[in-house]
Amino acid sequence: MFQLHERLAADTHRLGKSGLCEIRLMNDSTWPWVILVPAVSDIREIYQLEPEQQIKLLQESSVLSKGMMEIFGGDKMNVAALGNMVPQLHLHHIVRFEGDPAWPGPVWGKQAPVPYGDQELANIIQRLQPVLQQLT
């Protein structure tokens, strides 16, 4: 039975569920940053998913990426499945802007996360609604 890894639960806000994934917002207001977590037990790598699940993950990731870029108007969409710290398969989707605090390098370890305040959280969730509706 699928259970969200405790670190992902602690570091993110739930946005909903797609056909395959839990949709989570990283609690770091520095970047628009959404994570897809396939709701499949004991999976660490994309190749461990069934072929149909791999296709579904790519489709959902593409819809999310396109939608986030349209909403936030970024310069680059970073999509990554690292899993070095959290052994549960999850895909990061981070809208990047030239001149952001980590540009052009990766966001990891550049600075401490800046958690969302209540109003900021409500605002970004509202902005993400059009793409979330496409996924759910």
Side-chain angles (χ1 to χ4, degrees), residues 5-102:
H5 189 277
E6 60 201 27
R7 176 101 185 245
L8 289 174
D11 291 349
T12 63
H13 297 281
R14 187 174 194 278
L15 296 177
K17 179 151 180 12
S18 66
L20 178 66
C21 299
E22 284 284 325
I23 308 167
R24 313 288 300 191
L25 175 69
M26 187 69 171
N27 192 19
D28 185 348
S29 63
T30 308
W31 296 275
W33 186 343
V34 176
I35 299 172
L36 293 179
V37 185
V40 179
S41 296
D42 303 318
I43 298 293
R44 186 171 187 149
E45 307 294 346
I46 294 171
Y47 68 80
Q48 294 174 314
L49 294 169
E50 295 296 325
E52 306 81 34
Q53 294 170 327
Q54 293 174 24
I55 292 167
K56 185 70 174 162
L57 180 59
L58 179 60
Q59 290 170 334
E60 291 181 4
S61 176
S62 294
V63 167
L64 179 60
S65 295
K66 182 177 185 280
M68 289 179 69
M69 288 295 280
E70 289 173 353
I71 291 165
F72 298 104
D75 296 306
K76 178 72 177 91
M77 169 57 72
N78 288 175
V79 178
L82 300 176
N84 298 342
M85 300 292 289
V86 175
Q88 182 174 54
L89 177 60
H90 58 288
L91 260 61
H92 298 267
H93 297 75
I94 309 166
V95 178
R96 299 296 305 279
F97 301 91
E98 289 183 20
D100 72 32

Side-chain angles (χ1 to χ4, degrees), residues 15 25 71-72 118-133:
L15 296 177
L25 175 69
I71 291 165
F72 298 104
D118 291 341
Q119 189 59 52
E120 290 174 307
L121 181 60
N123 288 344
I124 194 164
I125 291 172
Q126 179 65 31
R127 290 182 74 186
L128 286 166
Q129 283 308 304
V131 72
L132 295 175
Q133 289 173 358

